[in-house]
Amino acid sequence: MEITVETNLAEFEGWIDKTVLKQMRFATSVTLYETAKQAQEAVRADLPHEFTIRNNWVSRGIRMSPGSSRAIRNSASGISDMEVEVGTVDEFMRMQAEGGVKKPNKADSVAVPVREPETEITNRKKWPRRVLKEPRTFLWRRPSDGKRFILQRAGDSRYPIKRLYTFEPEVRIPKRWPFLEKAEKIVSESYNENFNRAFERAMATAK
């Protein structure tokens, strides 16, 4: 999942002065990089307001490519070809931004954790295969409909029993992460100002 920033300056290349064109290419690449960087930083900073964050690996997954203004400039044959992408490398975060239906990859069902509280993170130690190795934890199939659960006895007695996972054929994920809206807002507010500043600097240092 990504947002792409492109330019519409192709019409300039046929008539403007070569020096101006050279500096415009430079200024455009700088502008794209700076604007994308601002969008990346804004989206990262907004994560704690949208999710319970206990580590930085989700934030690190929000990346931009190419990663420098020089790389943006060198990857294009002209101004209109320049672009930079800001997105997440994590599929589960793309689903949070777009919404959709999560289906099992290789299995026949999706294991849905029961979180108490709901903000609890299901880390690797709590994944289904690992919790099934814990004492008094077992897989149970409900006789009435065949629905499967991972259950755990709370103590040495038969009851009480805690439900850890429910297996579903698919899970609908609601859209809850305003990634695109946040990034687009930064681009619309910052691009022109960034370009004017970059172009003025480029022309002032032109050789």
Side-chain angles (χ1 to χ4, degrees):
M1 195 276 299
E2 62 195 25
I3 181 170
T4 302
V5 182
E6 299 178 353
T7 69
N8 62 346
L9 301 176
E11 63 271 21
F12 280 95
E13 298 189 40
W15 59 271
I16 59 176
D17 177 85
K18 289 184 178 180
T19 299
V20 176
L21 176 58
K22 178 182 177 181
Q23 299 310 313
M24 184 171 287
R25 280 177 54 83
F26 175 80
T28 300
S29 66
V30 171
T31 301
L32 287 171
Y33 171 78
E34 291 181 348
T35 305
K37 190 67 176 176
Q38 289 172 342
Q40 178 193 41
E41 291 174 352
V43 171
R44 283 178 170 177
D46 200 50
L47 280 175
H49 301 292
E50 304 293 338
F51 304 96
T52 300
I53 302 295
R54 292 191 175 92
N55 52 57
N56 62 358
W57 56 274
V58 173
S59 178
R60 290 202 305 266
I62 301 171
R63 302 176 187 175
M64 54 183 290
S65 178
S68 70
S69 61
R70 181 184 294 276
I72 294 171
R73 189 162 63 254
N74 292 342
S75 65
S77 59
I79 294 174
S80 60
D81 297 327
M82 292 184 191
E83 63 178 39
V84 59
E85 297 176 350
V86 179
T88 175
V89 300
D90 298 310
E91 173 63 20
F92 68 93
M93 290 302 291
R94 182 196 66 80
M95 188 73 76
Q96 293 290 328
E98 298 178 356
V101 177
K102 180 179 180 180
K103 297 184 178 182
N105 186 16
K106 296 181 179 179
D108 59 358
S109 58
V110 179
V112 182
V114 178
R115 295 188 176 95
E116 296 179 1
E118 291 185 358
T119 55
E120 180 185 20
I121 291 179
T122 305
N123 57 39
R124 290 178 181 269
K125 293 181 179 180
K126 297 179 180 179
W127 286 4
R129 288 185 179 180
R130 295 196 177 187
V131 297
L132 281 171
K133 295 179 181 180
E134 295 180 4
R136 299 180 298 280
T137 304
F138 57 97
L139 182 67
W140 180 72
R141 187 184 298 270
R142 190 162 57 194
S144 60
D145 57 8
K147 196 177 187 67
R148 294 180 300 157
F149 306 86
I150 293 180
L151 306 178
Q152 185 178 71
R153 290 190 170 91
D156 294 332
S157 302
R158 184 177 179 84
Y159 298 102
I161 294 178
K162 180 181 180 181
R163 180 163 54 93
L164 302 182
Y165 281 90
T166 300
F167 289 88
E168 302 286 355
E170 61 182 33
V171 179
R172 180 163 295 279
I173 307 296
K175 177 181 176 179
R176 58 171 297 200
W177 185 29
F179 173 91
L180 289 174
E181 293 81 355
K182 186 74 175 180
E184 288 176 348
K185 184 174 184 294
I186 295 298
V187 172
S188 63
E189 292 177 348
S190 304
Y191 186 87
N192 288 341
E193 181 180 346
N194 288 344
F195 179 79
N196 291 338
R197 183 173 60 251
F199 187 62
E200 289 178 4
R201 184 167 65 247
M203 292 302 295
T205 58
K207 297 181 180 180

